[in-house]
Amino acid sequence: MAVGPTIGTGLFIGAGQALAVGGPASLFLSYIILSFLTFAMTTSMAEVSTHRPSRYGTLVTNSYLYMSSGVAFASSYLRWYTLAMFVPYEITTAMVNLGLSKPGATIAIRLTIITTIIVGFNFLPDRLFRSSERLFTLIKIGTMATLFVLALSIGLGGVDGHTRWGFKYWKHPGAMNEYIVHGFWGRVLGFFQCLLDSSIAFTFAPELIVHHTEMPASVGESTLLGTAIPGSVSSDVVQTAFPYIMSSLAMGIMAPFNETRLTNNGTGSGLSPYTIGFKDAGIQIVFTLATIAILLSSVASGRSFLYLSSRTLCAMSEQGHAPSVFSIRNRWDVPYIAVAGSALFSTLAFISVKIPSSIMNSYLLRIVTSGGFISSLVGCTIHRHFHRRLRANRITTRHRFAMQSLGTYFGMVVSAALLLAGGLWGGPKANVTGTRAARVITSYTNIGVFGLLFLLHRFRSLMPIVEVERPIDMEGRRHGDREGPEVQPHKTPSNRGNLDAIPEDSGAFELRLSHNMFTEPRVPRE
């Protein structure tokens, strides 16, 4: 599973909030819609990546190739920042899973332990970290499958001595919850808020799936990978979506939407529907093991997101889009300065020492999901600009998915709608997770962040990138480099990679393509 390292973000805890606000039917439908959205976005990105696979990641690379440099700068830094914000989200998720919501010294000690584990793992040698990643991924996939089987066994009466639950929670209190208002429109609003809360499990999934296929890319493998990407990403989407959809169905069996433990009595994030169901079934050993497994998933996901964010920052540096200091690696191939810079965001989790971790977790959820929606919009825009320039130069595509370009337009509409609907979280009067103004501002913070980054790029001359000089030894290696001859990283211009761009103020979108950009023959003129 391509997104296996990030399992645990919303599948266990975030789904509880979604279930509470929308009900089991809304949760199930939300996962189906988000799975279809993931497929649409993945195929959109894959069509672009088949022409130019990149080990640096499709969004960062292709935004600089096909978008204006200002949009590329803003989307790249927003991606890094959002991935880094996942780390404190996962840390607070671990606290919520343990039932530790009250601020105090106990929270501070546990936050320190979990943060140290997450950051410490990322300073391990790169090869060792990747080996441990495979192990943690297998553990989390096993946890997901085990919880699903146990939920169906208990809920459908497969365990001796326990009452058969079936789908009783779909009947009482009901399949769909009302949100803000009563009646039909209340259920509609509940469904939309459920869709928003459920999206945490799918955030950045399309890019991770495509990048998982691109990772082996090298100079001699690009053409081969370009032909392998379409089939690989389709398989990865199915492997990701199907278990998620089935898990959402199982969680709707385990707890009713009016269960107060799902939202910690309405304050924010609460327990997983799985742990609530196991506890209510009176199987203490399963409840304990499920709590430990979900805790492990949260910690493992935190270390994975810190790895992704630090490597994103390092890749931006190697391509010339970030200060060169972040590309420095030690002898174990660890970009330790990029890791340290990304790890600074994890300190936000310590706000839970002053306010309940369930509240802090809810605020972080809104921030990371809105960042994901903006990245999806940029990805769709890249796809449209890419094909516009192909047509302008009369070049055929290597692969065309059957659902494109309709899938791209669907992705743009849904992503924009979810981004704009984020303020629904500020609707309920009785919600005690903060003032309405604070909740609404948090939901739209990343729109302002994206705009500020765009404007900052316009004044980039005021922020010169400082090249860091490292002493060279007698064998031609710089201090801190790995063994072997020094290899200067390839840095692309900060404008648009290998493309010769027409000045942005001309209002034109066409680009003059370099000879090594595409290898397909031109379509003969009619």
Side-chain angles (χ1 to χ4, degrees), residues 443-470:
S443 300
Y444 300 116
T445 294
N446 280 330
I447 298 179
V449 171
F450 186 85
L452 287 175
L453 287 170
F454 181 83
L455 293 176
L456 182 63
H457 180 267
R458 294 298 182 182
F459 299 98
R460 62 189 181 276
S461 60
L462 301 177
M463 298 179 59
I465 295 179
V466 179
E467 296 289 337
V468 176
E469 294 293 337
R470 288 174 285 168

Side-chain angles (χ1 to χ4, degrees), residues 266-488:
T267 60
S269 301
L271 297 179
S272 167
Y274 282 125
T275 57
I276 292 174
F278 295 144
K279 189 172 183 61
D280 290 346
I283 313 176
Q284 184 61 37
I285 183 63
V286 176
F287 167 75
T288 303
L289 291 176
T291 301
I292 295 173
I294 294 174
L295 172 64
L296 178 64
S297 296
S298 297
V299 174
S301 295
R303 59 192 285 281
S304 298
F305 279 117
L306 181 55
Y307 181 89
L308 290 170
S309 62
S310 62
R311 270 37 178 200
T312 298
L313 183 58
C314 179
M316 291 165 59
S317 177
E318 290 178 345
Q319 290 186 298
H321 307 313
S324 61
V325 67
F326 294 113
S327 64
I328 299 176
R329 296 174 182 261
N330 59 21
R331 59 186 299 182
W332 297 291
D333 201 28
V334 178
Y336 55 93
I337 299 179
V339 171
S342 300
L344 289 176
F345 288 92
S346 63
T347 58
L348 292 174
F350 285 84
I351 298 178
S352 299
V353 176
K354 292 295 183 181
I355 66 174
S357 55
S358 58
I359 295 178
M360 187 61 192
N361 185 262
S362 295
Y363 278 94
L364 290 171
L365 183 147
R366 315 300 161 182
I367 292 174
V368 297
T369 53
S370 61
F373 297 146
I374 295 175
S375 295
S376 296
L377 283 172
V378 173
C380 290
T381 308
I382 289 173
H383 180 269
R384 301 311 309 144
H385 283 196
F386 169 74
H387 280 284
R388 182 181 302 176
R389 286 158 189 166
L390 284 185
R391 290 193 298 269
N393 289 271
R394 304 185 67 82
I395 298 175
T396 58
T397 60
R398 283 186 176 177
H399 184 82
R400 188 77 168 177
F401 286 91
M403 71 175 305
Q404 295 299 341
S405 297
L406 181 62
T408 299
Y409 291 123
F410 172 79
M412 293 180 72
V413 171
V414 174
S415 298
L418 291 177
L419 178 63
L420 296 177
L424 283 175
W425 185 48
K429 296 179 181 179
N431 197 311
V432 296
T433 57
T435 64
R436 279 186 172 183
R439 284 178 274 146
V440 171
I441 291 173
T442 301
S443 300
Y444 300 116
T445 294
N446 280 330
I447 298 179
V449 171
F450 186 85
L452 287 175
L453 287 170
F454 181 83
L455 293 176
L456 182 63
H457 180 267
R458 294 298 182 182
F459 299 98
R460 62 189 181 276
S461 60
L462 301 177
M463 298 179 59
I465 295 179
V466 179
E467 296 289 337
V468 176
E469 294 293 337
R470 288 174 285 168
I472 303 177
D473 60 22
M474 297 300 293
E475 297 179 4
R477 295 191 302 269
R478 295 187 186 273
H479 178 68
D481 283 347
R482 301 182 303 278
E483 294 295 328
E486 179 187 10
V487 179
Q488 293 290 343

Side-chain angles (χ1 to χ4, degrees), residues 63-141:
S63 60
Y64 275 98
L65 284 173
Y66 308 115
M67 303 292 292
S68 70
S69 57
V71 173
F73 177 88
S75 60
S76 298
Y77 275 92
L78 182 69
R79 178 187 187 270
W80 163 69
Y81 143 81
T82 305
L83 285 171
M85 289 293 287
F86 265 107
V87 181
Y89 171 78
E90 291 294 350
I91 295 173
T92 54
T93 297
M95 295 295 100
V96 171
N97 176 63
L98 293 174
L100 300 172
S101 294
K102 294 182 179 180
T106 301
I107 286 286
I109 295 172
R110 286 169 171 78
L111 284 172
T112 301
I113 294 173
I114 292 178
T115 303
T116 302
I117 293 173
I118 290 175
V119 176
F121 261 105
N122 276 267
F123 281 102
L124 292 176
D126 192 71
R127 182 178 299 178
L128 183 58
F129 182 92
R130 289 179 180 273
S131 299
S132 66
E133 188 79 328
R134 288 189 287 270
L135 175 61
F136 277 104
T137 298
L138 290 175
I139 292 175
K140 288 189 289 184
I141 292 176

